[in-house]
Amino acid sequence: MTFGSFLRAAAAAGVVDIHKAPRGPDVILAPPGQTPIVEPPTLAGRHRIRPDLWECFVDWDERYQRVYDEERDVAIRFPSHPTALDPPDQADLRTLIVDKPERFHPIEPVSFTGQLDWMREFVNEQLDSPVRTELQTAMASARPARAFTIVLNSHPSLRAEWAARRLALVEAQIRQWAEREQLTALEITETVEEPPQQQAAHDRAAASAATSDEDERLVRMRDHVKRAIDRMPAAELERLPIPFGYSFEG
């Protein structure tokens, strides 16, 4: 049995409803008779933090050192302790930091504890949300960050709300650092322009989903499948029959 036929059999048995996703070949799963929660489409002109700064501030791995090279206008993350296997560019960077310290600005990432505090504050604000108890249970687990993410992945609208909150918090943290380091000219954010043909394809998919009852029936399943997959042990995941063609983008 293929994965697609498994989903269709589940829908035929009345276990889930299948709905077409607004974009691409994906589908969304939902309980029978319930309206799917579809994540808003990404629009052209999307605001985001520069990837080099984002990685240096959000990745809390203590094995890495982070600096901003003012001359090259780039934030760099590299292992704190050199080894014999370091590539030549890392060795050159370490030498340059020692020889020209005024060119580099140290970066202290947002700690793991700090990011957990952000998550807890977000959970505590969900006073009327039916997901609040689920999120509280996640934050009380042995791996709270992972459990928190798994819960949000099952609730796209709440996940989008958290992504916006985290973006604002990280941006504020970077701006405070830039002010302390007197980097007044540093561009922290950038705009991601979506190619016109890609945006047009997304618009056509959204319009199709809105006007076709047949397509509406296909939109919700992915969410339900994600929940099921998140609960599966590795041995069961390895046995999932997924057609090879799904590993390629259309």
Side-chain angles (χ1 to χ4, degrees):
M1 176 184 289
T2 66
F3 192 55
S5 60
F6 164 74
L7 297 183
R8 289 190 292 273
V15 177
V16 294
D17 282 348
I18 306 176
H19 298 264
K20 189 179 186 306
R23 289 187 260 166
D26 294 342
V27 295
I28 298 176
L29 305 181
Q34 292 191 18
T35 303
I37 300 174
V38 181
E39 192 169 1
T42 299
L43 301 177
R46 181 163 56 92
H47 164 83
R48 76 173 184 186
I49 293 171
R50 281 173 35 179
D52 59 323
L53 290 169
W54 178 268
E55 180 183 43
C56 284
F57 276 87
V58 174
D59 185 342
W60 59 68
D61 194 329
E62 297 179 352
R63 295 172 299 175
Y64 288 87
Q65 182 179 345
R66 303 149 183 87
V67 295
Y68 171 72
D69 183 347
E70 189 171 4
E71 185 173 309
R72 292 173 51 212
D73 183 29
V74 62
I76 309 165
R77 173 178 167 276
F78 57 97
S80 299
H81 304 292
T83 69
L85 300 177
D86 280 352
D89 60 330
Q90 283 188 13
D92 293 344
L93 174 62
R94 295 178 194 281
T95 301
L96 200 56
I97 291 174
V98 172
D99 292 344
K100 297 184 177 180
E102 71 284 353
R103 172 175 158 179
F104 296 91
H105 300 262
I107 294 174
E108 186 69 28
V110 184
S111 68
F112 176 67
T113 303
Q115 295 192 43
L116 283 181
D117 287 342
W118 290 352
M119 295 175 194
R120 291 190 183 98
E121 290 172 6
F122 182 77
V123 171
N124 291 337
E125 292 173 5
Q126 310 303 314
L127 298 178
D128 301 322
S129 172
V131 190
R132 187 169 191 254
T133 301
E134 199 175 346
L135 287 169
Q136 288 175 325
T137 301
M139 295 307 299
S141 68
R143 300 180 65 183
R146 179 179 180 275
F148 175 84
T149 301
I150 289 173
V151 173
L152 289 189
N153 283 342
S154 299
H155 302 278
S157 60
L158 197 61
R159 181 179 63 194
E161 184 181 338
W162 163 248
R165 167 70 64 82
R166 186 170 67 152
L167 176 69
L169 289 168
V170 174
E171 182 174 344
Q173 197 88 359
I174 296 175
R175 291 195 183 281
Q176 291 173 8
W177 163 81
E179 184 177 351
R180 289 195 304 268
E181 296 293 322
Q182 299 182 347
L183 297 169
T184 56
L186 176 63
E187 292 289 342
I188 293 173
T189 62
E190 63 184 14
T191 299
V192 181
E193 295 293 345
E194 193 167 72
Q197 64 273 20
Q198 188 175 346
Q199 180 63 36
H202 291 173
D203 292 342
R204 286 194 300 271
S208 174
T211 57
S212 169
D213 290 339
E214 180 66 23
D215 286 346
E216 274 284 17
R217 273 193 41 96
L218 285 175
V219 176
R220 272 187 265 169
M221 255 186 189
R222 180 165 293 275
D223 191 49
H224 242 47
V225 168
K226 282 181 180 177
R227 295 190 195 187
I229 288 176
D230 287 336
R231 294 182 175 92
M232 285 184 182
E236 290 186 14
L237 285 173
E238 290 172 355
R239 291 199 300 269
L240 275 179
I242 300 176
F244 184 66
Y246 280 99
S247 63
F248 296 94
E249 294 185 358

